Amino acid sequence: MTWTDFSAMQPLLSQASWDTLYMVGWSTLIAVVGGLPLGVLLVLTDRGGLLQNILANKILGQVVNIARSMPFIILMVALMSFTRWVTGTTIGREAAIVPLAIGAIPFFARLVETAVREVDGGLVEAVQAMGGNTWTVVRKVLVPEALPSLISSATTTVVALIGYSAMAGTVGAGGLGDIAIRYGYQRFDTQLMWITVAVLAVVISLIQIAGDFAARALHRRGGRSGPAPKLRLLKAKEPATADVSKVA
């Protein structure tokens, strides 16, 4: 490939990069919205959980395991009818969002489950002792304390989705994967294929750096296992102690 050829391909690469980010962005949003409550529910319904229900936990776990074990290329083909029903087509970036999101939800849910399980059980017991219900425990302890790990989990999900989106390009979904297949592989343009790989590597590196920075920043501000949550709980108890002393 000459410099002139590369300059002619720049608009195509720019559009393909935007298509990839568009697919991955929407898929990540849907995966977080669907996977976060699913992952928390897996923890709550497990043995010893606040909503212990072994049967429901086993069913949810099996559904997640089956969905995670399915190769993405097979998932895309299996969901074609559903994708056509949702988007009206099976080709293009909008159509690719459906299998990408469905494939990412169980993946992210397991990462959420792992992050939430690492939260200090003493904080949960303290909130319960203060009269907090299950929703309060989830909103005030489990999610905030696991937030650094949840950010890292979301970053891992985004990186995986970028790989999935490149695979989706093989069935006409667009994006950088489509460029690599149509122009790099089918037209034997090895240089363009490696340029596409380099662009994907840069995008993944930037996303990973941003995710790691956000996770570290949250951890320094008193994320999981930090002293800040315990101090907040102690402060919450102090007014009640003060009121008792006044009555006495």
Side-chain angles (χ1 to χ4, degrees):
M1 176 185 292
T2 64
W3 176 254
T4 304
D5 294 334
F6 176 70
S7 299
M9 294 297 293
Q10 276 187 318
L12 191 61
L13 286 170
S14 299
Q15 182 61 44
S17 300
W18 165 247
D19 289 343
T20 296
L21 294 176
Y22 179 88
M23 290 186 290
V24 171
W26 278 107
S27 301
T28 302
L29 178 62
I30 297 171
V32 170
V33 171
L36 180 59
L38 181 58
V40 173
L41 194 60
L42 284 169
V43 176
L44 296 179
T45 57
D46 200 4
R47 193 179 304 277
L50 299 179
L51 300 175
Q52 178 174 316
N53 189 322
I54 303 302
L55 178 60
N57 184 266
K58 293 297 183 183
I59 293 174
L60 285 175
Q62 286 301 318
V63 170
V64 170
N65 289 338
I66 292 172
R68 286 184 61 204
S69 63
M70 186 174 297
F72 181 70
I73 191 70
I74 297 177
L75 182 66
M76 283 194 300
V77 175
L79 291 175
M80 277 188 175
S81 298
F82 179 71
T83 300
R84 184 181 291 108
W85 178 74
V86 173
T87 64
T89 181
T90 58
I91 298 175
R93 62 184 190 180
E94 282 76 17
I97 291 173
V98 176
L100 285 171
I102 292 177
I105 286 174
F107 180 84
F108 183 66
R110 280 302 186 191
L111 296 177
V112 171
E113 180 188 11
T114 301
V116 172
R117 287 190 188 280
E118 295 176 357
V119 174
D120 186 2
L123 299 178
V124 175
E125 294 174 0
V127 172
Q128 288 180 304
M130 294 164 58
N133 56 20
T134 301
W135 171 243
T136 302
V137 170
V138 172
R139 187 167 55 92
K140 295 291 187 179
V141 177
L142 295 183
V143 173
E145 289 303 294
L147 194 55
S149 293
L150 291 177
I151 295 296
S152 297
S153 299
T155 304
T156 302
T157 303
V158 171
V159 172
L161 281 172
I162 291 175
Y164 290 163
S165 69
M167 196 183 306
T170 61
V171 293
L176 291 169
D178 182 50
I179 296 297
I181 294 298
R182 285 197 295 133
Y183 292 90
Y185 176 73
Q186 294 178 350
R187 299 186 182 183
F188 304 101
D189 194 337
T190 306
Q191 290 182 337
L192 179 60
M193 183 183 294
W194 283 112
I195 289 173
T196 305
V197 171
V199 172
L200 284 170
V202 170
V203 171
I204 289 174
S205 298
L206 291 175
I207 291 173
Q208 189 66 58
I209 291 171
D212 292 344
F213 175 81
R216 286 195 297 268
L218 287 171
H219 191 75
R220 285 196 297 268
R221 290 178 57 184
R224 190 184 65 233
S225 301
K230 297 180 180 179
L231 290 176
R232 289 197 296 269
L233 290 173
L234 290 174
K235 289 179 181 179
K237 291 182 179 180
E238 287 176 0
T241 305
D243 292 340
V244 173
S245 62
K246 288 181 181 178
V247 173

